[in-house]
Amino acid sequence: MKRFRRHGHDSQRDKLKQELYQFNKTVEHGFPHQPSALGYSPDLDLLAIGTRSGAIKLYGAPGVEFMGLHDENATVTQVHFLPHQLELVTLLDDNSLHMWTLRAHQGVSELLEVGRFTLTGPPGAPPSVTRVTTVLAHSSGELLLLGTEGGHVFVVEVPGFRELEERNISVEDVQARIPEEYAPRRNLECVEALQEKPLNPRQVLIGYGRGLMVLWDLDRQCAIQYFLGTQLESVWWMEDGEHILSSHSDGSYCSWSTTDGDVQSQPEKQDTPYGSFPCKAISKVLQFPTKQGPPFLILSGGMPRASYGDRHCISVIHSKTHIALDFTSRIIDFFVIREGEQHTGDPSALVVLVEEELVVVDLQTEGWPVIQMPYLVPLHCSAITCSHHVSSIPLKLWERILAAGDLQNTHYSNKPWPINGGQNLAPEPPQRDLLLTGHEDGTVRFWDASGVCLYPMYKLSTAGVFHTDADPNDNLNQGAEGEWPPFRKVGCFDPYSDDPRLGIQKIHLCKYSGYLTVAGTAGQILVLELNDEMAEQVVSATVVDLLQGQDGFRWKGHARLDVQEEPVSFPPGFQPFALVQCQPPAVVTAIALHSEWKLVAFGTSHGFGIYDYQQKNVALARCTLNPSDQLAMEGPLSRVKSIKKSLRQSFRRIRRSRVSMRKHQTTNAAKLQEINARLEAEALQEMELAPVQRRIEARSSDDSFTGLVRTLYFADSFITDSAHNTPSLWAGTNGGAVFAYMLRLPPVERRMDDPVTAHQAKEIQLMHRAPVVGLVVLDGRGVPLPEPLEVAHDLARSPDMLASHHLLVISEEQFKLFTLPKVSTKTKLKLTAIDGSRVRRVGVALFGSSRVEDYGENSLVVLTNQGELHVISLPAIKMQVHHPCIRREDVSGIASCVFTKHGQGFYLISPSEFERFSLSARWLVEPRSLVELPDKSTLDPSKARLRDDGRGYDGRGVRGVSDNDNSARHVMEHALLNDEKVLQEIQKSLEGDGGQMGHGDNNIKIPQANILSNGD
């Protein structure tokens, strides 16, 4: 007989779920992976970055961010904003052009793709005829000039992407008029540069690869002047419209005058900045006048080929100051921001996009310091190895961390961030959140993760505690006195680590006490406290032997780090006062901090222990090694569990024979092992075989790494009887074992005298032996126990100690609820039985209702190896919602995921970017921005409109608004061709009759809009 379901209850629960849970990917933090193009709009004050994966990202004032993605998986090679409009054009390496617009919807702007276009040549023409090499967005906002590999220049009307064939400039037209002295170089090669002439937008300078430059009149369709140079890289117009700068492949740049005759074979001035030896090409040159004094000359490249050909440099020359800014990665592009509403004043900032970061240099402050970034900060200055999120930081701790960070930022410019387009409409964050990232070089970086911008607050370095190969006198920021070229290191990207053993693997911060614990690759655990003053102290190591006298085990991995024996000076901020060194020095795989009890628990692949950081001694050391765990002695090698035991044994035999052969080659072998992998446990957990169809089944007890400690958990609960609650430590291992230790803490008055003792009280062995990835104790109300000191600060209810407690054991394959203290199974939930899903990350979160302010539910948030997110109710252990989030092939993304306490999360979508997501219907952090055109009165009325057919646009982007508008456009066309004096008057009349440019629909292939909303 079928059971009757209570439909009313189910529908009510479904409605409640909608109020509690809602999945969104909200914002991408960090620096775009593999940037390939840079654009800037002085009118909108927006920065655009295109990437090799086809993404286009726009940034304005802090919090103003937009992201779009091309349907084609092609590299964005160029980005150009249309002057005085909300549109921009992208060029991809598949030769397609795409039109994007910032369209307002419900008071918030969205970035939409509204058109695409590909040049088509005559039948039978080679691809080079239409292969676009350079794009000029004409100041009229109505034309694109496209230079190609074949030397042609195509004129295209925008936003409709209509080719104006009668205006095209063919290479034959140019070649027919080439002077006789240029005859040997009639093969002009590709169009390298297109630049509009200042003060006369009807004339365009065309630069060809072989060195010929032609000043072309768009109205008369003829060449006005020729400049005969060498192999060309770029051109730049001086503001007066009478002088041109050109840069060349031999490392020189030239100055030409447009008033010296129709044909010039020699420049007015030629200079090679870096000497007479062969130099690399100057790929781009800019020059800007200043109100008082000499101009700024800025050029990229040009370094002496033999000595410094591998440097990535931009040289800035002003008066007697000459600096070669030296970047650690390849330069993509750069531009200069100028003062004034019209952006025609003195240069104020140099913005440089390199492969791994964005650098902004203050050109108005002496020494040209770097301006600190409010966003686009390279998270991967050193590779990220772990992360930790802390919600609702108390204001006092927040301010102390900020103050410590400010002391580290004295080398930055005091100037404000120069890019401030758009309006940030996102509400103020309701709380202060921290994201801590651990890095390969032994640093921990603190980020303000409260809002849309991930802002750097403070950097902690642990390398000073240990002896490393770094030279403390090595100053990377300044070149030697009198060095030529005058290099200066800029940027913070540094992919090299002095010692891979410094890598941070686990972080835990107590926001109430200010204590911080970080653990590393070589078994080191540092306990730090926040100090507002500089301190000099010795940090002595307490060695913990986790093998506990086990025979037959020999560590074959890296050596432990050598600790500094003399006093070390620590700047204000987090300062280490205790150091635990695990022996063997394996990767620390789990830590837990209980600041109220002054205890730190730590685990490796060999066992776990407890350290009393108040008395600075070890309270417990427990070995969890199985006799078959020989792999745990081999150090951090990237391994995957073998399917068959026979295969595993075969590899062991091969490995033993290799070890015997290289018995005396310890140094090189250790180095190779260190570089080979950083994460012994993480590599084992995350590197896995493709999902298989299987049911949950018991695993063999002799699987390797069964003793690896996966999770540690402090709890004040009922462990021996139901009448007395006692402090306890719970540890879960890779072999499905759970160990419970009862802790005896001395009374407060005897805390410094009597030792903390630990006695084993329980041991649970899961039948299927799946790795235990999480442990949670629920109080009598079914609520997870509060964090240490949370109740003392009146930020949480005291746990219910009257009803019975429960222990939730989360393994890779199921969730099992046990009663305490008897440890009998109450209920369980299998994640899945057939598709191979395994739990990879787990966290407890409070989900607040979006409708009722004071209602919320504690739930378990789970990420599987399939990249799926699951929310499971507590204490009922029932599945609530599940959403696909990460591609299952993205193993590193799944491994990097970290959950917040309020239903959000972060994971790495590239080495330099976090994707932020939310499962909560109430708490959502996402960009909400509005970008509008600036007031027309601030636009330059001298910019001429060039239009072939005179058809206009209304504010909605509809062509052919009215006959009056059409006639006005025809008059405009006539004025452009015949009488320049009436131009300004006609322009004003058009601005008054709704003839504003929009995004038209005619002749546009409309794809399904790639809407990546900035909030609805």
Side-chain angles (χ1 to χ4, degrees):
M1 182 178 177
K2 292 183 179 179
R3 294 182 178 179
F4 291 98
R5 300 178 65 189
R6 302 191 319 191
H7 293 288
H9 176 76
D10 288 345
S11 61
Q12 186 177 356
R13 181 61 191 171
D14 289 341
K15 183 179 179 182
L16 185 57
K17 284 182 186 179
Q18 294 176 2
E19 297 170 0
L20 292 172
Y21 313 116
Q22 181 180 328
F23 176 69
N24 291 285
K25 290 186 179 181
T26 56
V27 65
E28 295 176 3
H29 298 298
F31 181 76
H33 185 49
Q34 295 181 326
S36 55
L38 177 68
Y40 176 66
S41 170
D43 302 318
L44 303 178
D45 204 4
L46 292 181
L47 167 81
I49 295 177
T51 71
R52 291 189 203 170
S53 60
I56 176 74
K57 300 189 176 187
L58 273 58
Y59 302 91
V64 176
E65 298 183 11
F66 301 91
M67 190 271 203
L69 189 63
H70 295 86
D71 289 337
E72 300 80 0
N73 187 18
T75 298
V76 180
T77 57
Q78 295 185 42
V79 180
H80 299 274
F81 284 89
L82 300 187
H84 321 312
Q85 298 184 40
L86 295 172
E87 278 80 29
L88 65 151
V89 173
T90 55
L91 173 66
L92 306 189
D93 66 354
D94 65 0
N95 207 41
S96 62
L97 288 156
H98 299 254
M99 177 71 71
W100 297 80
T101 186
L102 287 166
R103 182 177 297 170
H105 176 66
Q106 297 183 356
V108 178
S109 295
E110 298 172 344
L111 181 62
L112 304 174
E113 183 183 349
V114 293
R116 63 187 64 178
F117 172 73
T118 302
L119 273 178
T120 55
S128 62
V129 171
T130 55
R131 181 76 184 175
V132 179
T133 55
T134 184
V135 178
L136 170 62
H138 194 269
S139 61
S140 65
E142 301 172 353
L143 297 178
L144 289 180
L145 278 70
L146 311 176
T148 67
E149 277 185 6
H152 302 277
V153 177
F154 293 84
V155 182
V156 175
E157 179 187 81
V158 287
F161 279 138
R162 186 170 70 90
E163 183 183 340
L164 307 179
E165 296 183 9
E166 64 278 9
R167 288 178 173 264
N168 290 345
I169 307 167
S170 71
V171 69
E172 291 80 13
D173 290 342
V174 176
Q175 286 174 330
R177 299 176 175 86
I178 289 180
E180 292 183 3
E181 56 265 40
Y182 203 74
R185 289 184 282 179
R186 283 185 178 275
N187 179 14
L188 304 181
E189 294 188 356
C190 66
V191 177
E192 285 286 355
L194 284 170
Q195 289 283 336
E196 182 180 324
K197 184 177 180 179
L199 309 179
N200 189 352
R202 295 176 296 177
Q203 293 180 6
V204 173
L205 184 69
I206 308 170
Y208 294 93
R210 288 293 294 274
L212 175 68
M213 292 174 285
V214 178
L215 185 58
W216 188 269
D217 191 296
L218 293 174
D219 290 344
R220 293 187 289 162
Q221 291 290 292
C222 66
I224 300 173
Q225 278 183 298
Y226 295 90
F227 307 91
L228 313 180
T230 57
Q231 192 77 25
L232 186 68
E233 292 289 325
S234 73
V235 299
W236 176 257
W237 275 103
M238 303 292 202
E239 278 198 344
D240 58 9
E242 296 180 355
H243 292 85
I244 299 166
L245 279 184
S246 62
S247 67
H248 302 274
S249 60
D250 60 358
S252 68
Y253 69 91
C254 302
S255 175
W256 310 80
S257 173
T258 61
T259 60
D260 288 349
D262 294 345
V263 179
Q264 297 181 40
S265 57
Q266 293 296 326
E268 276 190 335
K269 174 188 173 185
Q270 181 171 358
D271 188 19
T272 305
Y274 294 107
S276 56
F277 293 104
C279 293
K280 298 198 74 175
I282 295 178
S283 58
K284 186 173 180 178
V285 63
L286 308 176
Q287 183 167 308
F288 297 94
T290 57
K291 294 177 182 176
Q292 298 175 345
F296 271 91
L297 179 67
I298 303 171
L299 50 92
S300 61
M303 287 291 125
R305 189 177 294 276
S307 305
Y308 304 106
D310 58 341
R311 298 286 188 107
H312 312 288
C313 294
I314 290 181
S315 301
V316 184
I317 304 167
H318 175 65
S319 187
K320 296 180 180 180
T321 307
H322 183 151
I323 290 179
L325 303 173
D326 189 7
F327 300 88
T328 56
S329 56
R330 185 174 64 88
I331 296 166
I332 305 297
D333 201 356
F334 64 94
F335 63 85
V336 170
I337 298 176
R338 304 176 67 180
E339 289 183 323
E341 289 187 1
Q342 300 284 343
H343 298 278
T344 56
D346 286 359
S348 62
L350 169 65
V351 181
V352 185
L353 176 66
V354 295
E355 275 193 331
E356 304 295 350
E357 59 187 321
L358 185 80
V359 179
V360 181
V361 180
D362 177 6
L363 296 178
Q364 295 189 330
T365 301
E366 187 177 355
W368 297 337
V370 171
I371 299 175
Q372 190 170 17
M373 314 276 296
Y375 47 74
L376 285 173
V377 183
L379 307 176
H380 64 317
C381 291
S382 174
I384 294 176
T385 49
C386 66
S387 53
H388 174 65
H389 188 275
V390 189
S391 300
S392 305
I393 303 294
L395 179 60
K396 186 175 181 181
L397 176 63
W398 187 266
E399 291 175 341
R400 293 178 69 191
I401 294 173
L402 272 177
D406 289 342
L407 295 175
Q408 298 176 336
N409 296 332
T410 54
H411 61 287
Y412 285 114
S413 167
N414 293 324
K415 286 288 181 69
W417 180 244
I419 301 171
N420 290 293
Q423 304 171 49
N424 179 15
L425 304 179
E428 283 295 316
Q431 60 193 26
R432 294 171 292 273
D433 289 352
L434 270 180
L435 180 67
L436 284 69
T437 54
H439 298 262
E440 193 178 35
D441 62 356
T443 59
V444 178
R445 286 174 165 83
F446 290 63
W447 307 88
D448 177 358
S450 312
V452 172
C453 295
L454 196 63
Y455 185 77
M457 296 176 62
Y458 166 74
K459 183 178 81 170
L460 163 70
S461 177
T462 63
V465 180
F466 308 99
H467 286 289
T468 64
D469 298 332
D471 181 2
N473 298 317
D474 185 19
N475 188 352
L476 294 177
N477 289 325
Q478 297 294 337
E481 187 71 27
E483 179 187 19
W484 187 261
F487 292 117
R488 192 182 95 191
K489 282 281 186 186
V490 287
C492 60
F493 177 72
D494 182 11
Y496 306 108
S497 173
D498 297 321
D499 193 331
R501 295 175 296 174
L502 291 169
I504 306 298
Q505 303 300 337
K506 296 292 176 184
I507 306 169
H508 193 111
L509 171 67
C510 175
K511 61 186 177 184
Y512 303 111
S513 64
Y515 284 110
L516 172 69
T517 304
V518 296
T521 302
Q524 72 272 26
I525 300 103
L526 281 166
V527 187
L528 308 97
E529 61 182 341
L530 193 55
N531 189 350
D532 299 328
E533 304 293 332
M534 182 178 289
E536 188 171 318
Q537 58 198 32
V538 176
V539 183
S540 57
T542 302
V543 179
V544 181
D545 180 16
L546 290 177
L547 291 182
Q548 294 293 293
Q550 290 268 4
D551 295 329
F553 292 101
R554 185 167 61 90
W555 174 247
K556 304 168 189 173
H558 50 240
R560 53 180 277 192
L561 285 161
D562 296 324
V563 182
Q564 299 271 14
E565 296 178 355
E566 61 276 3
V568 179
S569 179
F570 296 103
F574 283 95
Q575 299 171 350
F577 65 90
L579 169 62
V580 181
Q581 178 62 59
C582 298
Q583 197 64 28
V587 172
V588 178
T589 58
I591 61 169
L593 169 67
H594 201 295
S595 50
E596 193 171 355
W597 300 341
K598 303 292 193 295
L599 300 177
V600 171
F602 52 89
T604 71
S605 55
H606 307 122
F608 61 92
I610 300 175
Y611 179 73
D612 178 355
Y613 61 81
Q614 185 164 359
Q615 293 188 16
K616 295 190 177 180
N617 59 30
V618 179
L620 170 68
R622 163 69 189 261
C623 181
T624 56
L625 274 178
N626 190 293
S628 64
D629 277 350
Q630 289 292 336
L631 279 179
M633 307 304 293
E634 302 241 345
L637 299 177
S638 296
R639 300 192 183 277
V640 181
K641 289 185 181 180
S642 303
I643 304 173
K644 300 290 185 182
K645 182 179 177 182
S646 59
L647 283 176
R648 185 167 60 249
Q649 291 171 340
S650 300
F651 283 124
R652 285 179 184 169
R653 284 195 295 271
I654 296 171
R655 198 163 48 249
R656 289 193 190 105
S657 66
R658 288 177 178 169
V659 169
S660 64
M661 285 190 294
R662 62 170 191 262
K663 197 171 183 179
H664 304 291
Q665 301 174 1
T666 55
T667 305
N668 289 340
K671 287 286 184 186
L672 284 172
Q673 286 177 340
E674 293 164 11
I675 295 169
N676 218 6
R678 298 180 304 274
L679 264 173
E680 173 183 292
E682 293 291 326
L684 179 73
Q685 293 166 227
E686 316 310 341
M687 294 294 292
E688 57 186 72
L689 304 175
V692 293
Q693 302 291 317
R694 61 174 180 80
R695 295 187 178 277
I696 293 178
E697 57 185 17
R699 304 186 185 194
S700 172
S701 62
D702 63 356
D703 273 356
S704 302
F705 285 107
T706 55
L708 185 145
V709 178
R710 294 286 291 269
T711 183
L712 293 164
Y713 182 73
F714 283 112
D716 187 359
S717 186
F718 303 97
I719 191 169
T720 53
D721 59 68
S722 56
H724 303 90
N725 58 293
T726 57
S728 60
L729 172 71
W730 300 77
T733 72
N734 219 42
V738 177
F739 302 98
Y741 277 77
M742 182 175 65
L743 307 178
R744 297 195 181 276
L745 301 174
V748 177
E749 61 274 10
R750 302 284 302 168
R751 183 65 180 83
M752 286 297 295
D753 303 319
D754 297 345
V756 175
T757 59
H759 305 281
Q760 184 169 348
K762 306 285 182 187
E763 182 174 344
I764 307 168
Q765 178 62 62
L766 300 180
M767 294 298 292
H768 59 294
R769 298 184 182 275
V772 177
V773 296
L775 296 164
V776 180
V777 172
L778 307 178
D779 69 5
R781 293 187 295 266
V783 177
L785 295 183
E787 295 179 17
L789 296 175
E790 193 174 10
V791 175
H793 284 76
D794 295 326
L795 295 172
R797 293 174 62 184
S798 298
D800 185 345
M801 292 296 183
L802 300 177
S804 61
H805 286 195
H806 293 85
L807 171 70
L808 176 60
V809 178
I810 303 128
S811 74
E812 281 191 352
E813 296 171 350
Q814 69 178 11
F815 310 88
K816 206 165 188 178
L817 195 66
F818 296 91
T819 60
L820 289 177
K822 292 184 178 180
V823 194
S824 58
T825 304
K826 182 176 182 181
T827 184
K828 64 181 178 181
L829 172 68
K830 292 182 179 180
L831 181 66
T832 180
I834 56 171
D835 69 354
S837 288
R838 304 178 203 169
V839 175
R840 278 289 172 260
R841 289 287 180 268
V842 64
V844 175
L846 174 64
F847 289 88
S849 169
S850 59
R851 187 177 64 88
V852 182
E853 183 69 27
D854 57 353
Y855 181 78
E857 293 183 4
N858 285 291
S859 301
L860 209 60
V861 185
V862 174
L863 177 68
T864 73
N865 63 335
Q866 307 292 310
E868 293 183 338
L869 290 168
H870 299 260
V871 178
I872 296 164
S873 63
L874 293 175
I877 318 298
K878 290 184 178 180
M879 194 75 70
Q880 299 300 302
V881 294
H882 65 92
H883 300 277
C885 180
I886 310 174
R887 292 181 303 107
R888 67 182 184 183
E889 298 84 8
D890 186 5
V891 178
S892 60
I894 294 171
S896 65
C897 184
V898 58
F899 295 117
T900 78
K901 297 292 185 183
H902 294 93
Q904 298 187 56
F906 303 82
Y907 68 93
L908 287 172
I909 54 174
S910 74
S912 59
E913 291 173 288
F914 273 113
E915 174 86 70
R916 187 178 193 135
F917 63 86
S918 175
L919 283 161
S920 172
R922 179 191 290 183
W923 288 293
L924 191 68
V925 175
E926 63 177 352
R928 292 181 59 84
S929 315
L930 179 63
V931 176
E932 297 177 307
L933 279 172
D935 185 4
K936 290 181 181 179
S937 62
T938 66
L939 301 181
D940 187 355
S942 68
K943 300 295 184 185
R945 289 178 174 266
L946 296 180
R947 170 72 68 176
D948 178 59
D949 59 358
R951 287 180 295 174
Y953 291 79
D954 69 357
R956 299 162 298 175
V958 180
R959 285 185 180 271
V961 180
S962 67
D963 292 336
N964 291 336
D965 192 52
N966 277 331
S967 62
R969 292 292 182 181
H970 284 299
V971 173
M972 179 70 168
E973 182 77 11
H974 179 78
L976 283 172
L977 296 175
N978 297 282
D979 192 351
E980 192 172 350
K981 294 181 181 179
V982 300
L983 174 62
Q984 189 169 349
E985 185 179 345
I986 299 294
Q987 178 81 13
K988 289 180 179 178
S989 69
L990 284 174
E991 288 177 352
D993 67 4
Q996 178 186 347
M997 279 287 290
H999 36 267
D1001 296 327
N1002 283 7
N1003 305 318
I1004 301 179
K1005 178 184 176 185
I1006 301 293
Q1008 184 171 352
N1010 296 326
I1011 302 177
L1012 286 99
S1013 174
N1014 259 37
D1016 292 330

